[in-house]
Amino acid sequence: MFLMSTDRYTSPLSERYASREMQFIFSQDMKFQTWRRLWIALAETEKELGLPITQEQIDELKSHATDINYDVAKAREKEVRHDVMSHVYAYGVQCPKAKGIIHLGATSCYVGDNTDIIIMAKALELVRKKLLNVIRELADFADKQKDLPTLAFTHFQPAQPTTVGKRASLWLQEFYMDLCDLDYVKDSLRLLGSKGTTGTQASFLELFAGDQEKVDRLDPMIAEKLGFPGCYPVSGQTYSRKVDTRVMNVLAGIAASAHKMSNDIRLLQHLKEVEEPFEKNQIGSSAMAYKRNPMRSERIASLSRYVMVDALNPAITSASQWFERTLDDSANKRVAVAEGFISMHPDTLALIAEGKAAKGDVLACARVAGVMAAKQTSTLIPMCHPLNITKAKVECEPVRAGEREDGRVGIHVTTTTGVTGKTGIEMEALTAASIAALTIYDMCKAVDRGMEIMDVRLLLKDGGKTGLWTRE
């Protein structure tokens, strides 16, 4: 089991749903160790191409490639307000003989963008491995059930006979298409390389005293050291943000296939044709323990929806880049996360979870209301101004008996908002959480006027001059 922090906000997308392998790929250790690998590769290449760098300096860098002195970097960043230069300084503290050659001739994007590409490549490789497992299991299931007859549906109306295996092959084919897309995008990934401030490599041309041949050899040599077939031949200061769009579209495609399959399974479970595994001590419902809710399929659907919506963000970033580079890719990381909780009677929670509330799907309405409220924050709160919001997500999760320290049951609301402008986005996240909770109250007040909205608060703010803030 993963050990979860209980005194501060942690994302359930990481703590609850991500594998340990994927958690490491996106960890701080992976990020900053990769920065150091890139600095070592740059120094080695510059030495091999004739710059006055000694092997002793290279060896010193390698001796501290993985033991990141986070405390020194963090303290330095408070002074200089620059993450890359803070880590250059921290690395130099550990490597005093080599500190003058760390990051030589490079820009921040040398470590930032190349690391992003390396992390995406590793993450895609892990996704590929898991996708192949899904394809193999579905193929075995389809073959085993190929002769078992069942009724096909069109428009969810009885149509003509098919087989269980044939229906599973529909899911299988879509995942195979996703695999083909993933392989194409993964195999096309290249490093940014060392392109300098505007993609012309001018700083390296100066370092090598105008020797264009040595500058031309720089990128291929770095790429080989990092295990890549090459670098993008043309770039500005960053790699093209079209790359992020292509990667996210692949993930969104896999999510769409998973969502379609999970929806079919949920419908078939209602028809009593298939059933999810139900463990010996599993509780189906806090009020009706005998129920067998398709919770795995519901989880697949909700996480798939999250991924599919997220695919829009890099597309907007790619479209809004100006010339050689703008900071839209940094500014759109201005994200705020807020939460709220509405406590209620266990019977009310059961009513909501089972979709039996008189006014309809309570959680779906609350999600829509929260998103709408985030977009209308400036009309609700006088000192807030209109924002071109690029991200507004609302998640509503049932909290059952024993899941909170105070013993309350109810709905936990988590909201995430993002913006590309140079402005805060916290109020939009808080407004979304508040309105989502109020919507739940409004739809259920006829049966439970004692519901209580509480714990509406900001959990995280990232981006802008103040950087990352999290609730302690």
Side-chain angles (χ1 to χ4, degrees), residues 263-301:
N263 271 355
D264 285 354
I265 292 172
R266 290 161 70 187
L267 293 170
L268 290 169
Q269 181 154 333
H270 174 76
L271 297 173
K272 306 300 181 185
E273 290 194 25
V274 300
E275 188 171 70
E276 286 190 1
F278 196 83
E279 297 171 18
K280 181 180 179 181
N281 297 317
Q282 182 175 332
I283 298 173
S285 165
S286 61
M288 294 168 284
Y290 57 85
K291 289 183 82 260
R292 297 197 173 194
N293 298 331
M295 65 177 198
R296 292 174 177 81
S297 294
E298 291 170 338
R299 189 177 301 151
I300 291 170

Coordinates of all heavy atoms in Angstrom, one line a residue, residues 263-301:
N263 N -18.6 1.7 -20.2 CA -20.0 2.0 -20.3 C -20.8 0.8 -20.7 O -21.9 0.5 -20.2 CB -20.3 3.1 -21.3 CG -20.2 4.5 -20.7 OD1 -20.1 4.7 -19.5 ND2 -20.3 5.5 -21.6
D264 N -20.2 0.0 -21.7 CA -20.9 -1.2 -22.1 C -21.0 -2.2 -21.0 O -22.1 -2.8 -20.8 CB -20.1 -1.8 -23.3 CG -20.3 -1.1 -24.6 OD1 -21.1 -0.1 -24.6 OD2 -19.6 -1.4 -25.6
I265 N -20.0 -2.3 -20.2 CA -20.0 -3.2 -19.0 C -21.1 -2.8 -18.0 O -21.8 -3.6 -17.5 CB -18.6 -3.3 -18.4 CG1 -17.6 -4.0 -19.4 CG2 -18.7 -4.1 -17.1 CD1 -16.2 -4.0 -18.9
R266 N -21.2 -1.5 -17.8 CA -22.2 -1.0 -16.8 C -23.6 -1.4 -17.3 O -24.5 -1.8 -16.5 CB -22.0 0.5 -16.6 CG -20.8 0.9 -15.9 CD -20.4 2.3 -16.1 NE -21.3 3.2 -15.4 CZ -21.3 4.5 -15.6 NH1 -20.4 5.1 -16.4 NH2 -22.1 5.3 -14.9
L267 N -23.8 -1.2 -18.6 CA -25.1 -1.5 -19.1 C -25.4 -3.0 -19.1 O -26.5 -3.4 -18.8 CB -25.2 -1.0 -20.6 CG -25.2 0.6 -20.7 CD1 -25.1 0.9 -22.2 CD2 -26.5 1.2 -20.2
L268 N -24.4 -3.8 -19.4 CA -24.6 -5.2 -19.4 C -24.8 -5.7 -18.0 O -25.5 -6.7 -17.7 CB -23.4 -5.9 -20.0 CG -23.2 -5.7 -21.5 CD1 -21.9 -6.2 -22.0 CD2 -24.3 -6.5 -22.3
Q269 N -24.2 -5.1 -17.0 CA -24.4 -5.5 -15.6 C -25.8 -5.2 -15.2 O -26.4 -6.0 -14.4 CB -23.4 -4.8 -14.7 CG -23.6 -5.2 -13.2 CD -22.3 -5.1 -12.4 OE1 -21.2 -5.1 -12.9 NE2 -22.5 -4.9 -11.1
H270 N -26.4 -4.1 -15.7 CA -27.8 -3.8 -15.4 C -28.7 -4.8 -16.0 O -29.7 -5.2 -15.4 CB -28.1 -2.4 -15.9 CG -29.6 -2.1 -15.8 ND1 -30.2 -1.7 -14.6 CD2 -30.6 -2.1 -16.7 CE1 -31.5 -1.5 -14.8 NE2 -31.7 -1.7 -16.1
L271 N -28.3 -5.4 -17.1 CA -29.1 -6.4 -17.8 C -28.8 -7.8 -17.3 O -29.4 -8.8 -17.7 CB -28.8 -6.4 -19.3 CG -29.1 -5.1 -20.1 CD1 -28.6 -5.2 -21.5 CD2 -30.7 -4.9 -20.1
K272 N -27.9 -7.9 -16.3 CA -27.5 -9.1 -15.6 C -26.8 -10.1 -16.6 O -26.9 -11.3 -16.4 CB -28.7 -9.8 -15.0 CG -29.5 -9.0 -14.0 CD -28.7 -8.5 -12.9 CE -29.5 -7.7 -11.9 NZ -28.6 -7.1 -10.8
E273 N -26.1 -9.5 -17.6 CA -25.4 -10.4 -18.5 C -24.0 -10.6 -18.1 O -23.4 -11.6 -18.4 CB -25.4 -9.8 -20.0 CG -26.8 -9.9 -20.6 CD -26.8 -9.6 -22.1 OE1 -25.7 -9.8 -22.7 OE2 -27.8 -9.2 -22.6
V274 N -23.4 -9.6 -17.5 CA -22.0 -9.7 -17.0 C -22.1 -9.1 -15.6 O -23.0 -8.3 -15.2 CB -21.0 -9.0 -17.8 CG1 -20.9 -9.6 -19.2 CG2 -21.2 -7.5 -17.9
E275 N -21.0 -9.3 -14.8 CA -20.9 -8.7 -13.5 C -19.5 -8.5 -13.1 O -18.6 -9.3 -13.4 CB -21.6 -9.6 -12.4 CG -21.8 -8.9 -11.1 CD -22.6 -9.7 -10.1 OE1 -22.1 -10.8 -9.7 OE2 -23.7 -9.3 -9.8
E276 N -19.2 -7.3 -12.5 CA -17.8 -7.1 -12.1 C -17.5 -8.0 -10.9 O -18.4 -8.5 -10.2 CB -17.7 -5.6 -11.6 CG -17.7 -4.6 -12.6 CD -17.3 -3.2 -12.1 OE1 -17.1 -3.1 -10.9 OE2 -17.3 -2.3 -12.9
P277 N -16.2 -8.3 -10.6 CA -15.9 -9.1 -9.4 C -16.4 -8.4 -8.2 O -16.4 -7.2 -8.1 CB -14.3 -9.1 -9.5 CG -14.0 -8.8 -10.9 CD -15.1 -7.9 -11.4
F278 N -16.9 -9.2 -7.3 CA -17.4 -8.7 -6.0 C -16.6 -9.4 -4.9 O -16.8 -10.6 -4.7 CB -18.9 -8.9 -5.9 CG -19.5 -8.1 -4.8 CD1 -19.8 -6.7 -5.0 CD2 -19.8 -8.6 -3.5 CE1 -20.4 -6.0 -4.0 CE2 -20.4 -7.9 -2.5 CZ -20.7 -6.5 -2.8
E279 N -15.8 -8.7 -4.1 CA -14.9 -9.4 -3.2 C -15.7 -9.9 -1.9 O -16.8 -9.4 -1.7 CB -13.8 -8.5 -2.7 CG -12.9 -8.1 -3.9 CD -11.9 -7.0 -3.6 OE1 -11.7 -6.8 -2.4 OE2 -11.4 -6.4 -4.5
K280 N -15.1 -10.8 -1.2 CA -15.8 -11.5 -0.1 C -16.4 -10.5 0.9 O -17.5 -10.6 1.4 CB -14.9 -12.5 0.6 CG -15.5 -13.3 1.7 CD -14.5 -14.2 2.3 CE -15.1 -15.0 3.5 NZ -14.2 -15.9 4.1
N281 N -15.6 -9.5 1.3 CA -16.0 -8.6 2.4 C -16.4 -7.2 1.8 O -16.5 -6.2 2.6 CB -14.9 -8.4 3.4 CG -14.6 -9.7 4.1 OD1 -15.5 -10.5 4.5 ND2 -13.3 -10.0 4.3
Q282 N -16.6 -7.1 0.5 CA -16.9 -5.8 -0.1 C -18.3 -5.4 0.3 O -19.2 -6.2 0.4 CB -16.8 -6.0 -1.6 CG -17.1 -4.7 -2.4 CD -16.9 -4.8 -3.9 OE1 -16.1 -5.7 -4.3 NE2 -17.6 -4.1 -4.7
I283 N -18.5 -4.1 0.5 CA -19.8 -3.5 0.8 C -20.3 -2.8 -0.4 O -19.6 -1.9 -0.9 CB -19.7 -2.6 2.0 CG1 -19.3 -3.4 3.3 CG2 -21.0 -1.9 2.3 CD1 -19.0 -2.5 4.5
G284 N -21.5 -3.2 -0.9 CA -22.0 -2.5 -2.1 C -22.5 -1.1 -1.9 O -22.4 -0.3 -2.8
S285 N -23.1 -0.9 -0.7 CA -23.7 0.4 -0.4 C -23.8 0.5 1.1 O -24.0 -0.4 1.8 CB -25.1 0.4 -1.0 OG -25.9 1.5 -0.5
S286 N -23.6 1.8 1.6 CA -23.6 2.0 3.0 C -25.0 1.7 3.6 O -25.2 1.4 4.7 CB -23.2 3.5 3.3 OG -24.1 4.4 2.7
A287 N -26.1 1.9 2.7 CA -27.4 1.7 3.2 C -28.0 0.3 2.7 O -28.9 -0.2 3.4 CB -28.4 2.8 2.7
M288 N -27.4 -0.2 1.6 CA -27.9 -1.5 1.1 C -26.6 -2.4 0.8 O -26.2 -2.4 -0.4 CB -28.7 -1.3 -0.1 CG -30.0 -0.6 0.2 SD -30.9 0.0 -1.3 CE -29.9 1.4 -1.8
A289 N -26.1 -3.0 1.8 CA -24.9 -3.7 1.6 C -24.9 -4.9 0.6 O -23.8 -5.3 0.1 CB -24.4 -4.3 3.0
Y290 N -26.1 -5.3 0.2 CA -26.2 -6.4 -0.7 C -26.0 -5.9 -2.2 O -25.8 -6.8 -3.1 CB -27.6 -7.0 -0.6 CG -28.7 -6.1 -0.8 CD1 -29.2 -5.7 -2.1 CD2 -29.3 -5.4 0.3 CE1 -30.2 -4.8 -2.2 CE2 -30.3 -4.5 0.1 CZ -30.8 -4.2 -1.1 OH -31.8 -3.3 -1.3
K291 N -26.1 -4.6 -2.4 CA -26.0 -4.1 -3.8 C -24.6 -4.4 -4.4 O -23.6 -4.4 -3.7 CB -26.3 -2.6 -3.8 CG -27.7 -2.3 -3.6 CD -28.0 -0.8 -3.7 CE -28.2 -0.4 -5.1 NZ -27.0 0.2 -5.7
R292 N -24.6 -4.6 -5.7 CA -23.4 -4.8 -6.4 C -23.2 -3.7 -7.5 O -23.5 -3.9 -8.7 CB -23.3 -6.2 -7.1 CG -23.4 -7.3 -6.0 CD -23.0 -8.6 -6.6 NE -22.9 -9.7 -5.6 CZ -22.3 -10.8 -5.7 NH1 -21.7 -11.1 -6.8 NH2 -22.3 -11.7 -4.7
N293 N -22.7 -2.6 -7.0 CA -22.5 -1.4 -8.0 C -21.3 -1.7 -8.8 O -20.3 -2.2 -8.4 CB -22.4 -0.1 -7.2 CG -23.6 0.2 -6.3 OD1 -24.7 -0.2 -6.7 ND2 -23.4 0.9 -5.2
P294 N -21.4 -1.3 -10.1 CA -20.2 -1.4 -11.0 C -19.1 -0.4 -10.8 O -18.8 0.4 -11.7 CB -20.9 -1.3 -12.4 CG -22.0 -0.4 -12.2 CD -22.5 -0.7 -10.8
M295 N -18.5 -0.4 -9.6 CA -17.7 0.7 -9.2 C -16.4 0.8 -10.0 O -15.9 1.9 -10.3 CB -17.4 0.6 -7.7 CG -16.5 -0.6 -7.3 SD -16.1 -0.5 -5.6 CE -14.8 -1.7 -5.5
R296 N -15.9 -0.4 -10.5 CA -14.7 -0.3 -11.3 C -14.9 0.4 -12.6 O -14.1 1.2 -13.1 CB -14.1 -1.7 -11.5 CG -13.6 -2.4 -10.2 CD -13.2 -3.8 -10.4 NE -12.7 -4.5 -9.3 CZ -13.3 -5.0 -8.3 NH1 -14.7 -4.9 -8.3 NH2 -12.7 -5.5 -7.2
S297 N -16.0 0.0 -13.2 CA -16.4 0.7 -14.5 C -16.7 2.1 -14.3 O -16.3 3.0 -15.2 CB -17.6 0.0 -15.1 OG -17.3 -1.4 -15.5
E298 N -17.3 2.5 -13.2 CA -17.6 3.9 -12.9 C -16.3 4.7 -12.7 O -16.1 5.8 -13.2 CB -18.5 4.0 -11.7 CG -19.9 3.5 -12.0 CD -20.7 3.4 -10.7 OE1 -20.1 3.3 -9.6 OE2 -22.0 3.4 -10.8
R299 N -15.3 4.0 -12.1 CA -14.0 4.7 -11.9 C -13.3 4.9 -13.2 O -12.7 5.9 -13.5 CB -13.2 3.8 -10.9 CG -11.9 4.5 -10.4 CD -11.2 3.6 -9.4 NE -12.1 3.3 -8.3 CZ -12.0 2.2 -7.6 NH1 -11.1 1.2 -7.9 NH2 -12.8 2.0 -6.5
I300 N -13.3 3.8 -14.1 CA -12.7 4.0 -15.4 C -13.3 5.1 -16.1 O -12.6 5.9 -16.7 CB -12.9 2.7 -16.2 CG1 -12.1 1.5 -15.6 CG2 -12.5 2.9 -17.6 CD1 -12.4 0.2 -16.2
A301 N -14.7 5.2 -16.1 CA -15.4 6.3 -16.8 C -15.0 7.7 -16.3 O -14.7 8.6 -17.1 CB -16.9 6.1 -16.8

